[in-house]
Structures are given as structure tokens and as C-alpha cells.
Amino acid sequence: MRTLQGIAVSPGVAIGEALIVDNEGFRIPRRFVMRDAVDDELQRLNNAIDAVAEQIARNRDAVAAQLGDQCGAIFSAHLQMLRDPSLLAEFEGLIRKKHYSPEYAVSQTLRRFAKVFQDLDNGYLAERAHDIVDIERSLLGKLLGERREEFSHLTSPVVILAHNLTPTETANLDRRFVLGFVTEIGGAGGHTAIVAKGLEIPAVVGIGRFLTDLSGGELVIVDGNHGRVILQPDEETIAHYRHEVEAHHTLVAELETLRDLPAVTTDGTRIALHANIEFPREAESCLERGADGIGLYRTEFLYLGAKVEPTEEDHYAAYAEVIRQMRGRPVVIRTLDLGADKLGQLPQEEQNPFLGLRSIRLSLRNLPLFRVQLRAIMRASVLGPVRIMFPLVSTLADLRQAKMVLADATEDLAEAGIAYDPNVDVGMMVEVPAAVAMLDKFLKEVDFISIGTNDLIQYTLAVDRGNREVADRYQASDPAVLRLLDQSLTAARAADIPASVCGQMSGEPLYTMLLLGLGLRSLSVPPSAVPELKKICRSISIPKCEEVARRAMTMESAREIDTYLREELRKVAPEFGTS
Ligand code: PEP
Ligand code: MG
């Protein structure tokens, strides 16, 4: 049994067999071959070895021709390793005696070898582990080739262990079979994490390198509540976690009874609990969870994974579905927040995607794309209460230009005799410190604001929200972030403009008292968080929250603030105050 610590990003516990997805996306299931297929499988392995050897020889010759024989020698070493008789004997033994598939035999053997090298107290030899990983990759590339399975073809429950999953890959995970996932990289604010929470798949990210030690098929526990991953757990640990899963089911069933009750504090203040969604199909779970509306619909997910660019009709159909499902409850549609962070790539490479052509900047640079979306939203506005929200606004010019494009698109609809609601509220996200600094000006030109703490934290603290190397610095309760939140809520109150918070922070029970104490009366959270937040709201009073916020605002570090908030939460709702 081995326990690894990572970053908890999507709560819940998953217990199941590991399926490995390494850097290249190869999955190495534990497969066995039939006795009478052993010779054919060995032949397949030999063919793969020959093909890889040919490739290495070609690389050696090309490199030697350009850089000299010494550089080419690296590849000769790879060739030697690949043809090493003891290695081949090991492969053959596993296939003949244990009936492992060649893929599984290769990955088992080479990962074990790589681990031995890695653990050597000799820098030069430890580096050779990379060569072994390289050879493994090449061999698996040949062996799996067209056989490479996609996530969508899973047929049995698994826990996915990957170097990384993009938001699109995560969005396409088949929830019937993916019990949970773990990634080597990633941080709490990344979009992969957000999608996992939306899909309610227990997940831990940012574990660091651990895949080389595994070959798939091992039993794994993903503890998405505490960011723990347990490999090959013992019986006692399995029993402990099974008990935790049961306790969670009991809590969920208990919370279900609150579904049709309002989120009202003990002193009678009504809190609006809205939900964040990425896909139209999630609207149903917002209703099931008793949300008051949708406070953030991340429409860029229409684009992620789409093979062709969505048309106006595609946009319209998605919005219409959400609005109809919500049956009269408000729906805040955020215009595209596309950028390299979500796409994983852009037409042209950017060195600093989070500071680049992202979000409203991309929409304003690509007006036809922006107009298609705005027309679709306005057309859908006759179906129910819709609000439009612009993301990542950092200057007044951004906001004014976006509103002008909207006015233009609306005028076109009017001229064409197409119906729309002329009173659609227009708001902006506050997620850049510049927007907070200028908020009094912005508030004169918008109908509402929503504070996007996921980005506000990263831009305030200069910490990439998806980077595990600095994940310990990505703190929602950093005093600097809290000051900006306080400043924004105070300005909105003075201007009498409704304000909400839709970053992941608002869905964390730990921060509910603080946020209400700072004056927030509307939160937008992942659908799964609605029931627990409702329970907490119904257990606290605004004067107490104000006292907690006042005290927290005097503190000097996130750690101190979190410890204090945990203590206070434990007093009013012990079931949520532990993680
Ligand atoms: C945010 O930044 O807080 C937010 C809600 O937007 P996203 O996570 O999609 O960037
Ligand atoms: Mg954002």
C-alpha cells in the first residue's frame, strides 16, 4: 500500500482498478492472451521491436549526419537496450508463462526497470530511466497503434490515472465507467478540476510523477475530499473508505430533503443559490439540487471538442434547452471565455496564455464569432429570463465595445423582425484586479456583476491557477484577495448593483460565513454544492457571519484565516468543517 498526496479538486471517494493514461495517451489495460494466441502475440511484439529498432537507427543516422557520431551514439545505446537478450527473455516469459498481452508485458517490465534506475543513487544512471521510458513509449506506440482505445469505449468501471487530462477529455469522460481520476499535473483552479466537479467525478490532481511505477490494473482509492490517492490499499483501508462512501450517501439523502426549501439564514435573510454549468444537460441537476437559477453558463464548452465550429443554430439550441429546463428561473449566459487555457492550443502559440488573447479579447478580435453568439442568446431571450455576462473585462473600452457589438446584433434582429427581449440585463465578470480598481466606473454601465475568484486569485497573486508547482500559493483566502472581494462588494452595494461570486470559492462551505459576512447575498456554485450550502445558510445568522468576516479581515495569512473559518464552520455545521 502506498499513499500519495495531491490537490483535492472534486469531492467523493472512488475505489476501482487503475487505468493508466500516460503523456501520450496510451492506456495499458491488464490483458491476457489466449494460450493458442501466444505465438502470434510474440510475433506481434517482435514486429514492433523491429519497427522501433528501424526508427531508432534512422534517427541515429540522421543525427550523426548533422551533429557527428558522438550524438548519434545516444541512439545506439537505445538500440542496444531494445535488443538486450535479457529484456527480450523477460517479455517472452511474461507472455508465455503469465499470458500477459505484449503491451502489458512491455509496460510492466520497462516501468520496473525505469524505477530501478530512478532509485539509484547515481545521477547519470538515474537519468537513464528517461531512455527506458522513451523506449517503452515507442514500443507501446507501435503495439497499440490503431488499437488505441478512446475513453468513450470503456466497458468496465475504472479509475483513470493520467499525466494530464484536458478539460475536453474530462468533459467527455463516461460517467458510467469512470469512477474517479488522478493526474500528475494540474492545480485547484484549472478547468479540468472545474469540469470534474461539475460532472461529480472524484478527482485529485497535481500528484507529481508517479505513473512510471505503475502498469495498470492495480486497485486504487481516490479520496477527492482530502486529495489522497492510495495505491494497492490494504483491507482495513478499503473498509474505512467503504464506510466513508456510505456515510456520504446518507448525508446526500439527508440534504435531499432541503431541495424545495429556500436558503434562508436563521435571522430570515434570503440567499440566492445559483449554479454553474458547462453543458445544457447539467440544467436538470441544477433543478434536482434545488438551485434558484443558473449564475454562470460557461458557453465556451460548446466549442471544446467540437469537430466543426458551432453555428448560430447550435448556440440557440443549447441556450433554448437550458432556459426551457430552468422553467422561469434566471439563466446567466456568459459569452465565450475561450483561450489557450481551455483549448490547450490557439491558432498561434502564446507564451503567456492567461495574459493573452483570451475571453472577451478573443471575442472582440473575432466579431463574426461574437455576433453569432450574441444573436443566438438574444433570440433565446424570449424563452425565459436571460442575462448576458462578459468575461475577463479589464478596461472600460472592453465593456463598451462588447455592449456596442450586442446593440448592433440586436438591431439586426429587430430589422429582420426576429423576436427578442429588449430588457435583457447585461453584466460583467470581475476577475481582474484592474476591474476592481475601476469598479465604480464599471458599475455605472452594467446591470450586475459576478466576481470570478478563480481568475481574480491568479491575477492578484500572480499564481497560475493550473500549475501544481505553485498550487500552495493559490489561496482563495489570501488577505489580498479578501480585500479585493470586500472592495468589490462594498462598491456594488453603494451603487445598488446586484453582485454575485461564481468562482469555485463560493461553493466551498469553508467560505460561506465569510462571504455572507462581507455582504454577499447571491452565490453561484457547482450544482453538487447547492444542497450543502443551503444547509449551511439555514444554520447561520448574518450578524454572526459579519462578526466572522470582521475578524478574518484582520488576519494576515490564508492559513490563519482558513484555520479560523474551519473552527467557526465546525461550530455551526460540524459535518462540513472537517476537510
Ligand atoms: C472565474 O474565473 O472565477 C470563473 C468563474 O471563470 P472561469 O473559471 O471559467 O475562468
Ligand atoms: Mg474566469
Side-chain angles (χ1 to χ4, degrees):
M1 177 164 116
R2 226 173 107 213
T3 303
L4 308 168
Q5 184 65 47
I7 304 164
V9 291
S10 182
V13 170
I15 307 175
E17 253 195 37
L19 189 76
I20 315 282
V21 183
D22 74 9
N23 294 358
E24 310 260 351
F26 295 126
R27 305 194 290 123
I28 305 102
R30 181 164 53 173
R31 286 239 181 86
F32 297 97
V33 295
M34 307 291 281
R35 194 178 296 270
D36 55 6
V38 162
D39 286 330
D40 287 348
E41 291 294 306
L42 276 170
Q43 188 55 47
R44 200 160 69 78
L45 174 62
N46 284 329
N47 292 346
I49 291 174
D50 288 344
V52 171
E54 242 172 70
Q55 180 69 49
I56 295 176
R58 270 200 303 275
N59 290 346
R60 178 195 54 197
D61 296 344
V63 170
Q66 287 205 11
L67 302 171
D69 284 346
Q70 225 172 0
C71 290
I74 301 168
F75 294 100
S76 300
H78 278 201
L79 266 181
Q80 248 175 5
M81 229 185 269
L82 184 66
R83 297 287 193 196
D84 183 81
S86 60
L87 182 70
L88 301 180
E90 182 112 5
F91 290 158
E92 186 168 343
L94 289 175
I95 297 171
R96 276 202 193 285
K97 295 199 189 106
K98 292 200 170 178
H99 294 173
Y100 283 0
S101 71
E103 289 89 344
Y104 193 54
V106 162
S107 115
Q108 277 269 336
T109 310
L110 291 179
R111 285 181 187 206
R112 189 160 50 74
F113 281 14
K115 173 105 176 58
V116 171
F117 276 83
Q118 250 168 13
D119 291 348
L120 288 176
D121 200 13
N122 173 324
Y124 175 77
L125 286 178
E127 277 297 306
R128 302 282 67 76
H130 295 304
D131 296 333
I132 298 176
V133 171
D134 236 25
I135 290 173
E136 185 211 358
R137 247 184 227 149
S138 306
L139 271 177
L140 289 178
K142 288 284 176 231
L143 283 169
L144 291 167
E146 65 283 358
R147 280 210 200 172
R148 192 169 135 186
E149 293 167 72
E150 296 298 332
F151 294 131
S152 49
H153 295 159
L154 292 171
T155 49
S156 57
V158 291
V159 168
I160 290 183
L161 308 183
H163 175 66
N164 185 27
L165 289 178
T166 65
T168 309
E169 281 171 337
T170 311
N172 288 322
L173 293 177
D174 186 339
R175 270 199 296 174
R176 286 172 306 162
F177 299 121
V178 178
L179 304 171
F181 74 81
V182 182
T183 59
E184 291 187 326
I185 66 170
H191 287 99
T192 296
I194 290 171
V195 174
K197 202 158 182 177
L199 294 175
E200 296 174 38
I201 298 178
V204 175
V205 304
I207 288 274
R209 278 182 75 90
F210 76 109
L211 291 176
T212 38
D213 305 349
L214 302 168
S215 39
E218 296 89 347
L219 191 68
V220 184
I221 297 176
V222 182
D223 175 352
N225 303 320
H226 303 98
R228 258 172 241 139
V229 177
I230 298 129
L231 305 170
Q232 296 174 309
D234 57 27
E235 285 305 319
E236 196 185 327
T237 310
I238 297 172
H240 165 80
Y241 275 103
R242 289 211 193 287
H243 177 73
E244 200 158 289
V245 170
E246 267 167 38
H248 179 71
H249 287 323
T250 313
L251 178 63
V252 169
E254 234 176 82
L255 293 175
E256 248 172 41
T257 59
L258 300 176
R259 191 181 61 195
D260 300 321
L261 298 175
V264 184
T265 57
T266 54
D267 58 317
T269 305
R270 176 74 161 92
I271 309 299
L273 278 184
H274 295 249
N276 298 343
I277 63 166
E278 283 77 43
F279 303 97
R281 61 173 188 264
E282 288 177 276
E284 199 184 323
S285 75
C286 296
L287 286 184
E288 278 168 11
R289 297 290 170 49
D292 293 312
I294 288 175
L296 170 65
Y297 174 11
R298 291 184 165 98
T299 57
E300 58 277 7
F301 280 84
L302 268 174
Y303 280 73
L304 302 181
K307 298 220 165 45
V308 288
E309 193 164 316
T311 62
E312 183 178 319
E313 286 317 302
D314 295 330
H315 280 272
Y316 177 80
Y319 308 151
E321 185 184 338
V322 173
I323 297 163
R324 288 203 178 101
Q325 288 251 31
M326 291 308 291
R327 286 182 240 124
R329 291 175 175 83
V331 176
V332 177
I333 302 181
R334 178 175 76 178
T335 64
L336 297 175
D337 189 2
L338 280 174
D341 57 309
K342 281 179 185 139
L343 285 172
Q345 63 193 35
L346 268 185
Q348 68 274 17
E349 289 259 310
E350 287 193 320
Q351 292 215 342
N352 273 320
F354 275 125
L355 303 181
L357 192 59
R358 198 197 140 183
S359 212
I360 194 71
R361 302 169 184 180
L362 193 75
S363 296
L364 291 174
R365 185 71 73 84
N366 192 340
L367 292 181
L369 172 114
F370 197 24
R371 287 169 68 91
V372 159
Q373 174 167 46
L374 293 172
R375 277 176 63 94
I377 300 176
M378 289 309 286
R379 282 173 53 202
S381 67
V382 295
L383 304 172
V386 163
R387 295 174 190 156
I388 294 180
M389 178 158 75
F390 299 124
L392 210 80
V393 173
S394 55
T395 66
L396 283 160
D398 284 346
L399 176 65
R400 288 175 187 156
Q401 219 184 325
K403 284 176 74 174
M404 246 155 59
V405 182
L406 174 62
D408 225 42
T410 311
E411 212 174 287
D412 284 354
L413 291 179
E415 274 169 21
I418 299 170
Y420 63 89
D421 174 359
N423 298 315
V424 167
D425 279 349
V426 178
M428 62 179 264
M429 291 196 65
V430 176
E431 43 189 351
V432 182
V436 180
M438 296 293 289
L439 202 55
D440 56 326
K441 301 279 186 198
F442 282 111
L443 289 166
K444 293 190 171 79
E445 304 188 26
V446 291
D447 299 310
F448 67 94
I449 60 164
S450 186
I451 304 172
T453 45
N454 302 338
D455 277 314
L456 189 61
I457 298 166
Q458 79 163 345
Y459 293 128
T460 304
L461 303 175
V463 174
D464 180 340
R465 56 195 269 188
N467 182 346
R468 72 176 282 271
E469 300 302 334
V470 285
D472 57 331
R473 289 171 176 269
Y474 186 85
Q475 298 290 352
S477 52
D478 187 286
V481 175
L482 298 191
R483 284 190 186 194
L484 294 186
L485 267 173
D486 186 28
Q487 211 174 308
S488 306
L489 294 171
T490 306
R493 222 172 14 253
D496 201 19
I497 292 291
S500 180
V501 173
C502 63
Q504 297 297 97
M505 176 188 193
S506 61
E508 296 290 337
L510 188 61
Y511 300 123
T512 312
M513 293 176 91
L514 171 72
L515 291 173
L516 300 194
L518 291 176
L520 196 71
R521 297 293 178 265
S522 164
L523 292 90
S524 194
V525 305
S528 59
V530 170
E532 54 198 43
L533 289 199
K534 197 176 272 191
K535 173 91 199 276
I536 293 168
C537 288
R538 293 175 66 86
S539 318
I540 55 186
S541 76
I542 293 294
K544 178 67 192 168
C545 293
E546 285 171 348
E547 186 192 313
V548 167
R550 261 196 306 276
R551 172 113 186 259
M553 293 302 283
T554 63
M555 296 180 176
E556 294 180 352
S557 73
R559 181 193 286 249
E560 192 187 354
I561 294 169
D562 283 352
T563 307
Y564 169 61
L565 294 178
R566 198 165 289 119
E567 268 168 29
E568 291 300 326
L569 179 60
R570 223 174 261 149
K571 287 182 202 160
V572 290
E575 61 275 48
F576 304 113
T578 53
S579 51

PDB file of all heavy atoms in Angstrom, residues 235-248:
ATOM      1  N   GLU A 235      -6.796  -4.182   3.378  1.00  0.00           N
ATOM      2  CA  GLU A 235      -8.222  -4.440   3.665  1.00  0.00           C
ATOM      3  C   GLU A 235      -8.820  -3.386   4.609  1.00  0.00           C
ATOM      4  O   GLU A 235      -9.934  -2.925   4.434  1.00  0.00           O
ATOM      5  CB  GLU A 235      -8.382  -5.830   4.306  1.00  0.00           C
ATOM      6  CG  GLU A 235      -8.230  -6.986   3.329  1.00  0.00           C
ATOM      7  CD  GLU A 235      -9.186  -6.866   2.142  1.00  0.00           C
ATOM      8  OE1 GLU A 235     -10.356  -6.477   2.341  1.00  0.00           O
ATOM      9  OE2 GLU A 235      -8.745  -7.128   0.997  1.00  0.00           O
ATOM     10  N   GLU A 236      -8.022  -3.025   5.593  1.00  0.00           N
ATOM     11  CA  GLU A 236      -8.515  -2.082   6.601  1.00  0.00           C
ATOM     12  C   GLU A 236      -8.828  -0.725   5.968  1.00  0.00           C
ATOM     13  O   GLU A 236      -9.860  -0.098   6.249  1.00  0.00           O
ATOM     14  CB  GLU A 236      -7.419  -1.921   7.670  1.00  0.00           C
ATOM     15  CG  GLU A 236      -7.898  -1.299   8.945  1.00  0.00           C
ATOM     16  CD  GLU A 236      -6.716  -1.083   9.888  1.00  0.00           C
ATOM     17  OE1 GLU A 236      -5.770  -1.895   9.861  1.00  0.00           O
ATOM     18  OE2 GLU A 236      -6.747  -0.097  10.621  1.00  0.00           O
ATOM     19  N   THR A 237      -7.931  -0.305   5.063  1.00  0.00           N
ATOM     20  CA  THR A 237      -8.142   0.990   4.400  1.00  0.00           C
ATOM     21  C   THR A 237      -9.367   0.926   3.488  1.00  0.00           C
ATOM     22  O   THR A 237     -10.165   1.879   3.440  1.00  0.00           O
ATOM     23  CB  THR A 237      -6.878   1.355   3.584  1.00  0.00           C
ATOM     24  OG1 THR A 237      -5.750   1.205   4.431  1.00  0.00           O
ATOM     25  CG2 THR A 237      -6.952   2.769   3.060  1.00  0.00           C
ATOM     26  N   ILE A 238      -9.500  -0.182   2.783  1.00  0.00           N
ATOM     27  CA  ILE A 238     -10.668  -0.314   1.891  1.00  0.00           C
ATOM     28  C   ILE A 238     -11.948  -0.221   2.726  1.00  0.00           C
ATOM     29  O   ILE A 238     -12.885   0.500   2.382  1.00  0.00           O
ATOM     30  CB  ILE A 238     -10.625  -1.658   1.109  1.00  0.00           C
ATOM     31  CG1 ILE A 238      -9.393  -1.690   0.204  1.00  0.00           C
ATOM     32  CG2 ILE A 238     -11.895  -1.849   0.288  1.00  0.00           C
ATOM     33  CD1 ILE A 238      -9.149  -3.024  -0.472  1.00  0.00           C
ATOM     34  N   ALA A 239     -11.951  -0.923   3.856  1.00  0.00           N
ATOM     35  CA  ALA A 239     -13.148  -0.927   4.714  1.00  0.00           C
ATOM     36  C   ALA A 239     -13.440   0.492   5.206  1.00  0.00           C
ATOM     37  O   ALA A 239     -14.590   0.946   5.208  1.00  0.00           O
ATOM     38  CB  ALA A 239     -12.935  -1.868   5.899  1.00  0.00           C
ATOM     39  N   HIS A 240     -12.376   1.228   5.571  1.00  0.00           N
ATOM     40  CA  HIS A 240     -12.549   2.603   6.064  1.00  0.00           C
ATOM     41  C   HIS A 240     -13.215   3.459   4.989  1.00  0.00           C
ATOM     42  O   HIS A 240     -14.168   4.201   5.250  1.00  0.00           O
ATOM     43  CB  HIS A 240     -11.187   3.173   6.453  1.00  0.00           C
ATOM     44  CG  HIS A 240     -11.189   4.657   6.622  1.00  0.00           C
ATOM     45  ND1 HIS A 240     -11.641   5.257   7.770  1.00  0.00           N
ATOM     46  CD2 HIS A 240     -10.836   5.669   5.773  1.00  0.00           C
ATOM     47  CE1 HIS A 240     -11.551   6.568   7.631  1.00  0.00           C
ATOM     48  NE2 HIS A 240     -11.073   6.845   6.424  1.00  0.00           N
ATOM     49  N   TYR A 241     -12.718   3.334   3.761  1.00  0.00           N
ATOM     50  CA  TYR A 241     -13.271   4.173   2.695  1.00  0.00           C
ATOM     51  C   TYR A 241     -14.678   3.733   2.275  1.00  0.00           C
ATOM     52  O   TYR A 241     -15.498   4.547   1.903  1.00  0.00           O
ATOM     53  CB  TYR A 241     -12.310   4.223   1.504  1.00  0.00           C
ATOM     54  CG  TYR A 241     -11.269   5.307   1.716  1.00  0.00           C
ATOM     55  CD1 TYR A 241      -9.970   4.984   2.103  1.00  0.00           C
ATOM     56  CD2 TYR A 241     -11.603   6.640   1.581  1.00  0.00           C
ATOM     57  CE1 TYR A 241      -9.030   5.977   2.329  1.00  0.00           C
ATOM     58  CE2 TYR A 241     -10.676   7.650   1.802  1.00  0.00           C
ATOM     59  CZ  TYR A 241      -9.390   7.311   2.170  1.00  0.00           C
ATOM     60  OH  TYR A 241      -8.473   8.304   2.397  1.00  0.00           O
ATOM     61  N   ARG A 242     -14.924   2.432   2.337  1.00  0.00           N
ATOM     62  CA  ARG A 242     -16.287   1.984   2.004  1.00  0.00           C
ATOM     63  C   ARG A 242     -17.276   2.602   2.998  1.00  0.00           C
ATOM     64  O   ARG A 242     -18.366   3.016   2.654  1.00  0.00           O
ATOM     65  CB  ARG A 242     -16.386   0.457   2.032  1.00  0.00           C
ATOM     66  CG  ARG A 242     -15.662  -0.194   0.881  1.00  0.00           C
ATOM     67  CD  ARG A 242     -16.337  -1.506   0.451  1.00  0.00           C
ATOM     68  NE  ARG A 242     -15.477  -2.268  -0.436  1.00  0.00           N
ATOM     69  CZ  ARG A 242     -15.219  -1.961  -1.703  1.00  0.00           C
ATOM     70  NH1 ARG A 242     -15.779  -0.909  -2.250  1.00  0.00           N
ATOM     71  NH2 ARG A 242     -14.417  -2.709  -2.433  1.00  0.00           N
ATOM     72  N   HIS A 243     -16.841   2.684   4.232  1.00  0.00           N
ATOM     73  CA  HIS A 243     -17.674   3.266   5.272  1.00  0.00           C
ATOM     74  C   HIS A 243     -17.910   4.754   4.962  1.00  0.00           C
ATOM     75  O   HIS A 243     -19.023   5.269   5.081  1.00  0.00           O
ATOM     76  CB  HIS A 243     -16.991   3.092   6.631  1.00  0.00           C
ATOM     77  CG  HIS A 243     -17.743   3.712   7.759  1.00  0.00           C
ATOM     78  ND1 HIS A 243     -18.903   3.164   8.242  1.00  0.00           N
ATOM     79  CD2 HIS A 243     -17.522   4.850   8.455  1.00  0.00           C
ATOM     80  CE1 HIS A 243     -19.363   3.942   9.208  1.00  0.00           C
ATOM     81  NE2 HIS A 243     -18.545   4.981   9.344  1.00  0.00           N
ATOM     82  N   GLU A 244     -16.838   5.427   4.492  1.00  0.00           N
ATOM     83  CA  GLU A 244     -16.943   6.854   4.169  1.00  0.00           C
ATOM     84  C   GLU A 244     -17.944   7.065   3.021  1.00  0.00           C
ATOM     85  O   GLU A 244     -18.731   8.011   3.029  1.00  0.00           O
ATOM     86  CB  GLU A 244     -15.566   7.394   3.790  1.00  0.00           C
ATOM     87  CG  GLU A 244     -15.502   8.890   3.917  1.00  0.00           C
ATOM     88  CD  GLU A 244     -14.078   9.400   4.082  1.00  0.00           C
ATOM     89  OE1 GLU A 244     -13.482   9.193   5.143  1.00  0.00           O
ATOM     90  OE2 GLU A 244     -13.611  10.004   3.125  1.00  0.00           O
ATOM     91  N   VAL A 245     -17.890   6.184   2.038  1.00  0.00           N
ATOM     92  CA  VAL A 245     -18.813   6.290   0.895  1.00  0.00           C
ATOM     93  C   VAL A 245     -20.252   6.169   1.402  1.00  0.00           C
ATOM     94  O   VAL A 245     -21.134   6.941   1.026  1.00  0.00           O
ATOM     95  CB  VAL A 245     -18.511   5.180  -0.161  1.00  0.00           C
ATOM     96  CG1 VAL A 245     -19.597   5.127  -1.220  1.00  0.00           C
ATOM     97  CG2 VAL A 245     -17.151   5.425  -0.805  1.00  0.00           C
ATOM     98  N   GLU A 246     -20.474   5.220   2.298  1.00  0.00           N
ATOM     99  CA  GLU A 246     -21.827   5.036   2.837  1.00  0.00           C
ATOM    100  C   GLU A 246     -22.296   6.264   3.612  1.00  0.00           C
ATOM    101  O   GLU A 246     -23.430   6.725   3.458  1.00  0.00           O
ATOM    102  CB  GLU A 246     -21.858   3.823   3.768  1.00  0.00           C
ATOM    103  CG  GLU A 246     -22.255   2.561   3.037  1.00  0.00           C
ATOM    104  CD  GLU A 246     -21.973   1.334   3.871  1.00  0.00           C
ATOM    105  OE1 GLU A 246     -22.180   1.395   5.104  1.00  0.00           O
ATOM    106  OE2 GLU A 246     -21.510   0.334   3.287  1.00  0.00           O
ATOM    107  N   ALA A 247     -21.382   6.807   4.431  1.00  0.00           N
ATOM    108  CA  ALA A 247     -21.737   7.992   5.225  1.00  0.00           C
ATOM    109  C   ALA A 247     -22.096   9.145   4.298  1.00  0.00           C
ATOM    110  O   ALA A 247     -23.025   9.924   4.562  1.00  0.00           O
ATOM    111  CB  ALA A 247     -20.571   8.378   6.128  1.00  0.00           C
ATOM    112  N   HIS A 248     -21.371   9.230   3.169  1.00  0.00           N
ATOM    113  CA  HIS A 248     -21.650  10.304   2.217  1.00  0.00           C
ATOM    114  C   HIS A 248     -23.045  10.129   1.612  1.00  0.00           C
ATOM    115  O   HIS A 248     -23.808  11.083   1.488  1.00  0.00           O
ATOM    116  CB  HIS A 248     -20.575  10.319   1.130  1.00  0.00           C
ATOM    117  CG  HIS A 248     -20.804  11.376   0.103  1.00  0.00           C
ATOM    118  ND1 HIS A 248     -20.641  12.717   0.386  1.00  0.00           N
ATOM    119  CD2 HIS A 248     -21.230  11.307  -1.186  1.00  0.00           C
ATOM    120  CE1 HIS A 248     -20.941  13.418  -0.686  1.00  0.00           C
ATOM    121  NE2 HIS A 248     -21.303  12.595  -1.657  1.00  0.00           N
TER     122      HIS A 248
END
